[in-house]
Amino acid sequence: KFTPSTITFNAFVTENNKITIDSSVKSISSLSSFINLLRDYPQTSSVSIDRIDNQSLTTSVNVLIIVKLKEDNQKWKKYSKT
């Protein structure tokens, strides 16, 4: 399983060679595991956390993750717009 069960996706946006993931995380260890999985993915160029917001009314943390893909991955885009 790629995504730990303690992570919920609020938004998932792909644009050119970038994926933006807005998520709610209930466990920092799960977030670390997910970030490491993203970094280890062969088509990943870089992974960064752009925002961490503590949700005071819930037990989760809102996290914005940016994944940049290697340029070679752009080839699939011309085929995926059918």
Side-chain angles (χ1 to χ4, degrees), residues 6-72:
T6 57
I7 296 178
T8 304
F9 293 129
N10 302 320
F12 191 93
V13 179
T14 60
E15 179 182 350
N16 296 322
N17 68 327
K18 181 173 84 170
I19 301 170
T20 304
I21 304 168
D22 184 358
S23 60
S24 295
V25 180
K26 293 186 180 188
S27 162
I28 297 302
S29 62
S30 293
L31 175 61
S32 296
S33 296
F34 183 60
I35 295 295
N36 288 333
L37 285 170
L38 291 171
R39 286 185 174 145
D40 290 343
Y41 189 66
Q43 280 71 34
T44 299
S45 173
S46 68
V47 178
S48 62
I49 297 176
D50 281 14
R51 182 186 74 230
I52 298 178
D53 293 327
N54 188 12
Q55 304 292 317
S56 60
L57 298 176
T58 66
T59 60
S60 63
V61 176
N62 188 264
V63 180
L64 184 67
I65 303 167
I66 306 295
V67 180
K68 292 191 179 174
L69 301 174
K70 294 177 181 174
E71 292 297 322
D72 291 347

Side-chain angles (χ1 to χ4, degrees), residues 66-80:
I66 306 295
V67 180
K68 292 191 179 174
L69 301 174
K70 294 177 181 174
E71 292 297 322
D72 291 347
N73 290 317
Q74 295 304 305
K75 295 175 184 176
W76 70 270
K77 285 196 157 270
K78 63 183 172 184
Y79 300 107
S80 65

